Amino acid sequence: MGTRHQARERALQILFQYDIHGKSGLWLDVFWKENEASGEARAFAERLVAGVLEQKPELDALITKYATNWKISRMPIVDRNILRAGVYELMWMDDVPARVTMNEAVELAKSFGDDEASKFVNGVLDQVLNKELTLAVKKSEASGMKGLGSKEPGE
């Protein structure tokens, strides 16, 4: 398992807990004691979690805009947190290629979501990537790399 893949799994698990508890606390210390991760994986996970929590209102607005007929509050907790992390990566993490973000989000949905989660996540992230003007550069990079099989460092 790649470092960043593991980091994304840990970030998803932490975001899930934030959705349940509403804030950090003892559970976060316990989580890191029970779920080993390299320093690099932990740093990436913490960067992703902090970004999602900081941008949550904007992330939720974007997800709601592109998740036709879905309210963020009605989505399964796993799906909405995969989407939050994926949209955050697309919008605010310039060092992560869009294609990697999309692939990783779909894989997380397959691992942690129900049978339809991967299609739902892929559809919403695809809409964000293709319709948000601020993502034009990432969109062109993603379409220009199709079929090259490239991965980001640490994958």
Side-chain angles (χ1 to χ4, degrees), residues 78-136:
V78 170
D79 295 4
R80 73 175 163 237
N81 283 298
I82 292 170
L83 287 169
R84 285 172 177 156
V87 173
Y88 179 78
E89 280 192 36
L90 288 173
M91 299 293 291
W92 284 279
M93 295 180 84
D94 294 335
D95 60 320
V96 181
R99 187 166 167 237
V100 171
T101 297
M102 301 284 289
N103 289 340
E104 286 288 318
V106 168
E107 289 305 312
L108 287 172
K110 286 179 182 176
S111 296
F112 293 98
D114 66 20
D115 293 341
E116 298 297 314
S118 62
K119 294 175 194 167
F120 178 67
V121 165
N122 186 61
V124 174
L125 290 179
D126 189 59
Q127 290 290 313
V128 172
L129 181 61
N130 286 307
K131 293 184 178 176
E132 283 300 306
L133 298 177
T134 58
L135 293 174

Side-chain angles (χ1 to χ4, degrees), residues 129 132-143:
L129 181 61
E132 283 300 306
L133 298 177
T134 58
L135 293 174
V137 172
K138 274 199 174 188
K139 180 182 172 189
S140 66
E141 289 171 355
S143 62

Side-chain angles (χ1 to χ4, degrees), residues 16-37:
F16 186 95
Q17 290 297 322
Y18 269 105
D19 244 5
I20 293 170
H21 298 289
K23 58 183 177 174
S24 65
L26 181 60
W27 67 263
L28 188 55
D29 293 331
V30 172
F31 174 84
W32 282 119
K33 286 178 184 169
E34 293 178 355
N35 295 278
E36 291 184 26

